[in-house]
Amino acid sequence: MGSSDAFRPGPGPPGGTDAGAPDRSELLDVLGMAAVVLDAAGRIVLWSPQAEELLGYTPDEALGRFAARLLVTEEHFPDVLELFSQVMSGDTWAGIFPLQHRDGSTRLVEFRNMRLVDDRGDVYALGLATDRSTVQRMERDLALSARLVAQSPAGMAVVDTDLRCVAVNPALERLNGVPVAEQIGRPVLEMLPFLDSDVLESAMRRVLASGDPLLAQETLGPATDAVPPAAVPPPTDTVPPAGDTVAPAGAGPRTGPDEGAGPESAGPDERRAAAPGPPGQQEVRAWSVSYFRLEDASGHVLGLCITLLDVTARYRAATEATRARHRLALVADASARIGTTLDLQQTASELADVAVPELADVAAVDVLDAVLSGRANLVPGGGPAIFRALALAAAYPTEAVRAADPPGELAKYDADRLVTQCVLTGRPIHVPRVREADLPRIARDPEAVRLLAAAGVHSYLAVPLIARGEVLGALDLKRARNELPFDADDVVLASELAARAAVCIDNARWYQSVRDTAVTLQRSLLPQAPARRAGLEVASRYQPAGAAAEVGGDWFDVLPLAGDRTALVVGDVMGSGITAAATMGRLRTATQTLAELDFDPARLLRHLDKIITRLEPSFATCVYAVYDPHRGLCRVASAGHLPPALVRPGRPSRLLDLTIGAPLGTGGAPFRTTTLRLAPDDQLVLYTDGLVETRHQDIDTRLDTLLELLDDPYRPLEATCDVLLRRLRGPIGHDDVALLIARIVEHH
């Protein structure tokens, strides 16, 4: 050891020490080693502070006194004289001897005695002494520590401040397979290669610097050669031949969820620790690592103690419990997220989104086209299956998305394809490990085979969508970046999700069929693009409610009247569905008939009120306006309807100040006609409440927005219709919208 090592400076006790002071033995401080020197006559000539602490006598009380008379009782006097004689003759004596303390008590003291000779030949006796109870306590502590360290199931290593091993126990030798002797003096990072070296070193440096221990830091690492992984049989990876399936026992067409089913959906590290992965993948074990700084009583840092415990069994149990909770949570989440609307495509998208990334890297939902068309959904024996892709989701950008069928398009899969087998049998198709030869049975064409191979797809699962005993389609799942293969738990989870989603998809497709019928009826009852009328330019729009809502009874009409006059009508039958559409058609017919009689707008609304009260219980709002181009007058009446907007060049747009009567169907309500004069380029904007009413803003704010959007009187009417629908309603609305805009033009 060089001088720099022997006298390496340390932090020293609180309050500081000289920077160049040598290290001192904390052990001697603990022992409180006292030094006493006797001359040849047995008088005390040297007395250390430790001697005073041990026996209670001050130097003034001890120096010059005969040691035997001061420190030994009468009964031990002969023995001490004999021992003193032996030491002065050159013998070294060590043992335990009772000494008398200043307070009168007797202390058992452990001695080391030897003769000293100075440069003049004078002889002295040196006694090194410490309290026997202190020595016994240290011997007991050392023995206990040695046994605990040697027999501890946790690997333990003591490292110096350079992170080199100075001591290791047998358990660590068993964990890393390196003999104890070969570990001493080597960097501890080399001795623990199965732990993350960056994390390990960072933790050790932090504890060395702060003194705060880090306890039970769990980490994952590969199994070492010294501690082999548990033997678990590898899962099968056979691809079922045509017509065969790999599915849980008892699986088949399903009409409801299985109790307790759930995904194996913990993170990749957790699942790898719980079960082996594909061949060649090294198993991961769980370790609990603790770090303690070692220092003496004065605060001098000696190094670190590191303990390492293999907690893989506990980790697996905890992981399994976490996975079980996660499976239940995912099923509960799926119940809340799937089927939020009656829109078929959105329901399919919700299923795909739930499956990614918890269950798969890529998920696709495909429904048999015959199911959507209302035909028998049976696939001809030996024939292809025709699917319509509804939804596609991916956890990250991948070539596998390009290999999938684009949502909305039709795709034909021959009888040997796995997805066809899935819908034919009504059972899951499970290919834990996809081989190159399997891809043509998964992909739609050779290009898709190439894309799936490039994406690294290594595991495949298809489960049928079954509702009310009928196979609707399939949920198609693939894994690429997730290195674990689909297992039996994944099959159960996917089947559970598919069963829940299939009912929602079935409800959505039936609703879609009814809604399509109502939309068709609604559109058939509305006028086509109105013809140009004298003194008017007209534009109109009808937009049905979004797919998640039923069709309502909104309508508009442009009716030619005698004398070049034109009636402008917008109305809204309360309610939705086919009934509302049919009532709207009858009310529109009645309006056309009454318009031919040239009634004043208020009188016409009174007749409509009587007519609708004789129909099935129903209510409607309506605004009826008649424009006379020869006089430039417009007469307007309203039955519970929002007032039209008036747009004039050079003036702010405003709502007409009308007397708003009660809705049609209340019976006997009065209505009043308002007359206003219109000039060329003036615009009258009639609309239903679906344009301006929302759940998030009050109606006044929305009407103000409408007027702001109308403050461009020279914009083409068709463009104005588009702007209003885009800015006020958006692509999805909860109510129908009927919109009619008329601009006054010069009439000759």
Side-chain angles (χ1 to χ4, degrees):
M1 178 183 295
S3 60
S4 61
D5 291 327
F7 298 97
R8 184 175 53 212
T17 62
D18 293 339
D23 292 349
R24 57 188 179 87
S25 172
E26 189 64 27
L27 179 60
L28 294 179
D29 287 342
V30 173
L31 289 173
M33 190 69 69
V36 180
V37 178
L38 309 181
D39 63 12
R43 292 185 180 88
I44 300 172
V45 295
L46 290 173
W47 186 258
S48 71
Q50 289 80 9
E52 178 181 355
E53 183 178 352
L54 178 63
L55 298 173
Y57 298 99
T58 66
D60 290 341
E61 295 171 327
L63 292 173
R65 300 280 299 276
F66 282 101
R69 295 296 182 188
L70 180 67
L71 303 176
V72 180
T73 61
E74 287 292 336
E75 61 180 301
H76 294 112
F77 197 73
D79 295 331
V80 77
L81 292 179
E82 176 64 25
L83 292 175
F84 180 71
S85 176
Q86 292 178 16
V87 172
M88 296 303 288
S89 65
D91 292 339
T92 298
W93 181 84
I96 302 170
F97 200 91
L99 294 183
Q100 184 171 278
H101 193 273
R102 186 179 186 278
D103 63 9
S105 63
T106 298
R107 302 286 177 89
L108 285 177
V109 178
E110 184 147 342
F111 266 105
R112 295 294 184 271
N113 295 312
M114 62 202 72
R115 189 179 71 164
L116 301 177
V117 180
D118 67 10
D119 57 353
R120 294 176 298 191
D122 295 332
V123 180
Y124 299 87
L126 169 65
L128 300 176
T130 189
D131 185 73
R132 174 57 182 166
S133 62
T134 301
V135 175
Q136 287 179 322
R137 186 180 72 250
M138 292 196 64
E139 288 175 341
R140 183 175 62 251
D141 291 346
L142 288 173
L144 178 61
S145 299
R147 298 297 289 176
L148 286 176
V149 170
Q151 297 181 12
S152 172
M156 301 181 68
V158 176
V159 302
D160 60 19
T161 54
D162 293 327
L163 306 185
R164 292 183 176 273
C165 293
V166 297
V168 297
N169 72 339
L172 186 60
E173 179 182 8
R174 291 192 297 271
L175 287 176
N176 61 16
V178 180
V180 170
E182 295 182 17
Q183 299 189 56
I184 304 303
R186 295 176 62 183
V188 69
L189 297 177
E190 295 180 6
M191 298 301 98
L192 304 173
F194 44 87
L195 299 181
D196 188 314
S197 60
D198 291 337
V199 173
L200 182 63
E201 181 172 8
S202 174
M204 291 190 293
R205 296 291 185 193
R206 188 160 67 250
V207 174
L208 275 176
S210 69
D212 298 327
L214 289 177
L215 305 178
Q217 304 294 299
E218 290 199 356
T219 185
L220 300 180
T224 66
D225 293 337
V227 186
V232 181
T236 58
D237 58 353
T238 55
V239 180
D244 292 344
T245 60
V246 178
R254 302 169 51 152
T255 58
D258 293 333
E259 292 296 328
E264 190 171 37
S265 50
D269 286 343
E270 296 172 343
R271 295 185 60 182
R272 201 181 307 120
Q281 175 183 309
Q282 192 172 22
E283 183 178 352
V284 168
R285 299 188 74 83
W287 307 95
S288 177
V289 190
S290 297
Y291 311 85
F292 310 86
R293 190 170 79 177
L294 303 177
E295 54 189 53
D296 59 26
S298 65
H300 178 73
V301 178
L302 304 175
L304 286 175
C305 178
I306 304 168
T307 64
L308 181 70
L309 188 64
D310 186 345
V311 293
T312 303
R314 185 186 72 194
Y315 185 82
R316 287 177 177 173
T319 299
E320 287 297 329
T322 300
R323 288 164 55 192
R325 291 193 299 269
H326 196 79
R327 285 193 294 267
L328 291 175
L330 184 58
V331 171
D333 181 55
S335 299
R337 291 175 56 187
I338 299 175
T340 59
T341 70
L342 286 171
D343 181 272
L344 182 63
Q345 196 148 3
Q346 183 171 339
T347 301
S349 296
E350 290 166 350
L351 172 58
D353 290 341
V354 166
V356 172
E358 298 288 353
L359 188 56
D361 291 329
V362 180
V365 180
D366 302 310
V367 175
L368 291 165
D369 185 58
V371 170
L372 297 180
S373 303
R375 307 189 305 272
N377 64 347
L378 296 177
V379 179
I386 300 177
F387 294 90
R388 184 172 295 277
L390 291 185
L392 178 63
Y396 55 90
T398 172
E399 293 290 301
V401 171
R402 293 175 53 204
D405 302 313
E409 293 189 5
L410 290 176
K412 182 169 70 174
Y413 286 84
D414 293 333
D416 65 335
R417 303 300 174 89
L418 299 184
V419 69
T420 304
Q421 294 178 31
C422 178
V423 296
L424 276 172
T425 63
R427 293 169 60 86
I429 299 293
H430 179 203
V431 187
R433 294 185 178 90
V434 173
R435 298 164 298 192
E436 184 178 352
D438 303 324
L439 290 176
R441 300 179 59 196
I442 297 173
R444 67 173 184 266
D445 54 35
E447 175 62 14
V449 169
R450 184 189 67 79
L451 292 171
L452 291 182
V457 171
H458 65 81
S459 195
Y460 176 79
L461 175 61
V463 292
L465 298 169
I466 303 173
R468 302 174 179 89
E470 181 181 11
V471 178
L472 307 179
L475 171 62
D476 186 276
L477 305 170
K478 302 179 182 72
R479 282 183 180 171
R481 184 174 293 179
N482 183 341
E483 59 198 40
L484 296 172
F486 289 112
D487 59 20
D489 282 348
D490 295 324
V491 176
V492 172
L493 170 65
S495 300
E496 174 76 12
L497 296 180
R500 291 171 181 264
V503 174
C504 298
I505 289 175
D506 194 45
N507 291 339
R509 65 136 176 168
W510 281 112
Y511 170 77
Q512 188 69 43
S513 176
V514 173
R515 183 180 181 279
D516 289 344
T517 301
V519 170
T520 300
L521 174 62
Q522 177 90 336
R523 290 192 181 280
S524 69
L525 296 174
L526 291 174
Q528 301 302 314
R532 185 180 182 92
R533 296 294 302 150
L536 288 178
E537 177 189 354
V538 179
S540 62
R541 291 286 191 279
Y542 170 74
Q543 194 170 81
E550 290 192 27
V551 173
D554 292 19
W555 91 95
F556 67 87
D557 226 332
V558 179
L559 305 176
L561 302 178
D564 293 331
R565 293 173 303 154
T566 302
L568 305 173
V569 188
V570 167
D572 182 2
V573 175
M574 298 182 186
S576 59
I578 294 177
T579 300
T583 301
M584 178 273 290
R586 298 167 73 178
L587 197 57
R588 177 174 176 247
T589 300
T591 303
Q592 292 172 343
T593 302
L594 292 171
E596 291 287 342
L597 300 177
D598 203 13
F599 286 138
D600 176 84
R603 185 179 178 188
L604 183 140
L605 291 180
R606 286 196 293 273
H607 283 289
L608 285 180
D609 182 47
K610 293 178 183 179
I611 292 172
I612 198 170
T613 55
R614 292 194 293 266
L615 300 176
E616 65 277 355
S618 184
F619 298 94
T621 65
C622 181
V623 61
Y624 184 84
V626 176
Y627 174 64
D628 185 345
H630 299 291
R631 303 172 60 191
L633 297 179
C634 182
R635 304 167 69 201
V636 187
S638 173
H641 204 85
L642 290 170
L646 178 62
V647 181
R648 281 182 164 162
R651 300 184 188 179
S653 300
R654 64 181 179 88
L655 299 177
L656 292 183
D657 185 11
L658 303 179
T659 299
I660 307 297
L664 302 175
T666 56
F671 302 102
R672 181 177 176 181
T673 298
T674 299
T675 303
L676 65 151
R677 183 170 297 278
L678 298 177
D681 291 327
D682 286 352
Q683 296 179 34
L684 202 60
V685 181
L686 292 76
Y687 52 92
T688 55
D689 57 8
L691 182 67
V692 292
E693 287 187 352
T694 70
R695 303 172 182 175
H696 310 296
Q697 288 182 301
D698 62 80
I699 187 65
D700 290 334
T701 300
R702 298 283 293 175
L703 289 172
D704 289 342
T705 303
L706 168 67
L707 296 177
E708 291 173 5
L709 295 174
L710 290 174
D711 280 337
D712 186 357
Y714 299 108
R715 180 170 50 205
L717 298 188
E718 295 292 340
T720 298
C721 290
D722 294 337
V723 167
L724 295 181
L725 290 174
R726 183 175 66 251
R727 297 286 299 277
L728 291 174
R729 189 165 189 267
I732 298 177
H734 297 282
D735 197 2
D736 290 15
V737 172
L739 176 62
L740 183 62
I741 305 178
R743 172 183 281 142
I744 309 302
V745 296
E746 291 285 354
H747 177 64
H748 302 287

